[in-house]
Amino acid sequence: MEQKFIPKSLAASKASGKVTWQTPSNIALVKYWGKKNPQLPENTSISFTLSNCHTTTTLTYGKRKDLRGTYDFKVVLDGKEQEDFKPKIETFFKRIEKYVPFLREYHFVIDTKNSFPHSSGIASSASGMSAIALCLMSIEKEININLTEEAFYKKASFLARLGSGSACRSVKGDIVVWGEHENIEGSSDLYGVPYVDGVAAVFKNYQDTILLIDKGEKQVSSTVGHNLMHGHPFAAQRFIQAQENINKIKDIFANSDVDKFIELVESEALTLHAMMMTSNPYFILMKPNTLQVINEVWAYRKKTGSKLCFTLDAGANVHLLYPESEKEPVQEFIKNKLSVYCKDQSYIHDCVGTGAKQLTI
Ligand code: DP6
């Protein structure tokens, strides 16, 4: 299957050029936690593509004169060269070289910036890796003009996955599935696909406010975390549960069942953290304020009948999900009651978005 992404002949023709993509972050509803080599998920995951949290990457490329050494690139974040990002990109390049034969022929400058603060604890790998993948695909498209739009995006997601699993869900909007599932046609372990089965209007413009609880470095990288699922006593059951949750969320989306959505999404978040708490070694990534927020959300829901709920990434920050119709009261509640639990009272309002965009700058 992977073979279809190896181009027949792709000699780099252009001497130099520049391309820019803006790619969004995403928030998983059914979580990816556990993978096999090479970057294949143990279970299907599904996410909302976000809109305001995004990465903008300009890839400048020029033919190399000296082809000694492996790759020739530098990474610039917010105008400053970043040596410490290079190993991750180098690993990414090694994984994708087979599919991107011109990779060694060019010198690259990867100039990138995030719309959210770097130290916010918001994972930039999903938007960052998908941006590089899309830039490389734009170069491929110049050489292979017959590439269809569908093939372009599929391969972009395929490449992004090899950079960071969740990045393959950051190419398209508005809901994306990654990982083969018997009840989702076209789903694949190799790339993310837009979820095109029935989705009720309420989920089309769902809101996500990200509370920045802890801006520090993550205690455990997601790669280390995924590996802890190997030999985990509850792993097999978790992977079965995730496949079942995909069936449930399909019905929820089709039937506009916001109450069941809340139940499923919160359970997925807590299960993810339960997996970390029961691995060897074990971790607690939630902070006291994460729990304060969760309890406040539950109390608010009880008191007002609101449909506000939460989900979590592999960190302390809380994503608050709610229908657009509740935007005003919920955002008031966040400002008045929840912002005190955030570092420097900071949070980001976001919502479901449409996917990556090429920019001409
Ligand atoms: C908890 O995609 O960051 O956010 O493939 O090792 O780069 P790598 O992991 P990554 O894992 C994300 C895990 C998660 C859940 C999710 O987004 O599905």
Side-chain angles (χ1 to χ4, degrees), residues 2 35-40 95 99 161-162 190:
E2 287 93 336
K35 65 177 168 185
K36 316 175 265 245
N37 259 333
Q39 294 281 97
L40 297 168
R95 288 189 191 139
Y99 310 101
R161 183 198 103 237
L162 292 167
L190 300 179

Side-chain angles (χ1 to χ4, degrees), residues 228-358:
L228 293 173
M229 289 301 273
H230 293 134
H232 190 296
F234 308 133
Q237 195 52 43
R238 160 61 194 155
F239 302 143
I240 293 171
Q241 179 198 42
Q243 297 312 98
E244 285 166 358
N245 280 348
I246 294 285
N247 284 328
K248 288 188 186 161
I249 209 163
K250 264 178 74 98
D251 290 342
I252 289 169
F253 283 147
N255 302 328
S256 194
D257 198 337
V258 178
D259 290 323
K260 289 235 170 72
F261 176 82
I262 294 172
E263 216 179 282
L264 183 130
V265 163
E266 292 190 346
S267 164
E268 271 289 320
L270 295 178
T271 302
L272 168 71
H273 283 256
M275 289 298 119
M276 296 183 223
M277 287 194 246
T278 48
S279 61
N280 180 14
Y282 43 78
F283 296 96
I284 301 182
L285 296 188
M286 290 183 280
K287 297 281 180 200
N289 281 352
T290 311
L291 295 178
Q292 294 279 19
V293 167
I294 291 174
N295 281 305
E296 291 275 7
V297 167
W298 286 344
Y300 177 77
R301 212 155 66 213
K302 201 159 176 205
K303 193 170 123 204
T304 64
S306 161
K307 305 295 183 196
L308 173 66
C309 72
F310 71 87
T311 188
L312 307 165
D313 264 344
N317 292 340
V318 183
H319 286 249
L320 295 173
L321 302 177
Y322 48 100
E324 207 211 2
S325 59
E326 287 194 35
K327 201 168 163 176
E328 222 177 290
V330 166
Q331 294 193 352
E332 268 302 288
F333 169 64
I334 292 168
K335 190 167 89 194
N336 298 333
K337 283 279 165 51
L338 301 183
S339 63
V340 292
Y341 301 114
C342 303
K343 270 262 148 65
D344 308 323
Q345 313 241 329
S346 51
Y347 51 86
I348 299 169
H349 291 311
D350 209 336
C351 58
V352 170
T354 52
K357 288 196 278 266
Q358 185 168 8

Side-chain angles (χ1 to χ4, degrees), residues 130-167:
S130 57
I132 301 175
L134 281 155
C135 288
L136 291 171
M137 283 311 295
S138 288
I139 302 177
E140 175 164 338
K141 173 85 188 160
E142 277 168 5
I143 305 167
N144 177 8
I145 45 167
N146 295 324
L147 196 70
T148 64
E149 194 177 308
E150 201 198 329
F152 176 95
Y153 283 109
K154 217 169 237 183
K155 184 165 173 184
S157 176
F158 171 85
L159 296 179
R161 183 198 103 237
L162 292 167
S164 176
S166 56

Side-chain angles (χ1 to χ4, degrees), residues 28 31-33 35 39 125 164-166 169 222-223 226 272 313-314:
K31 310 285 181 182
Y32 147 58
W33 198 245
K35 65 177 168 185
Q39 294 281 97
S125 65
S164 176
S166 56
R169 300 189 313 242
S222 46
T223 297
H226 287 290
L272 168 71
D313 264 344

Side-chain angles (χ1 to χ4, degrees), residues 12 14-15 61-64 72 102-108:
K14 241 180 144 183
Y61 56 98
K63 278 264 175 81
R64 283 168 73 183
D72 185 354
F102 55 80
L103 211 51
R104 282 173 192 249
E105 291 179 42
Y106 286 122
H107 163 76
F108 295 104

